[in-house]
Amino acid sequence: MDGLGFEPFDTPLGRVVVAWSPRGIFALALPSEREEETITWITAIAPGAVRVAPPAWVQDVMHLVAAHLGGAPQDFSKVPLDLERVSPFYRAVYQAAQDIPPGQTVTYGELAARLGKSRAAARAVGQALAKNPIPIVVPCHRILGAAGAAVGFSAPGGVQTKARLLALEGARVPRAR
């Protein structure tokens, strides 16, 4: 396949949709109330993507995501990503987030520091993560607010989904005030 493909698949949290290119995973949509909404989101973020049977390496990623969402934390650090359409800064943020192991968390400021930026760059890190096209595989849910609370999650379900994902991984997170 030369272009972008996508395929919905079942997980313990509902239907997820993955999109890929020959270079890697392009996008991943967490479940929404209706599968049509999830597919609409994926086709908006991956224009030109067509529903097609996934190649074996994408099927492997689908199995990892389903296992992870079923409560068996997985390591996604080796999953190939297609980040060619994002800025170099966003790419660096996503790659740094991928290095955070399941069950562990860092703050937006700490992630900025890992990138060699000042903690004042936390807002820019948050903006990048708010546009993360590949949640779970790029674990933006592992990034917390300055006080260590689960804040700022743009996927369906918002902060409640973020807290649920962290709980699946065994992370303890105080509630946002």
Side-chain angles (χ1 to χ4, degrees), residues 33-139:
E33 288 188 26
R34 294 189 339 262
E35 182 176 326
E36 302 82 39
E37 291 174 0
T38 310
I39 290 174
T40 297
W41 183 86
I42 212 84
T43 55
I45 201 162
V50 295
R51 188 168 182 174
V52 62
W57 69 270
V58 174
Q59 291 177 26
D60 291 344
V61 173
M62 293 162 67
H63 291 298
L64 288 174
V65 170
H68 190 87
L69 295 178
Q74 303 294 309
D75 177 7
F76 296 105
S77 63
K78 303 291 187 244
V79 171
L81 304 178
D82 181 349
L83 297 174
E84 287 191 8
R85 292 170 186 85
V86 301
S87 74
F89 177 73
Y90 280 28
R91 189 175 308 128
V93 169
Y94 299 158
Q95 289 168 338
Q98 244 190 327
D99 290 338
I100 302 165
Q104 295 185 21
T105 60
V106 300
T107 66
Y108 293 98
E110 290 167 339
L111 191 60
R114 289 183 182 193
L115 295 169
K117 308 288 184 190
S118 73
R119 289 189 183 264
R123 185 174 305 274
V125 167
Q127 289 171 346
L129 292 170
K131 294 180 180 173
N132 174 15
I134 316 170
I136 307 300
V137 177
V138 173

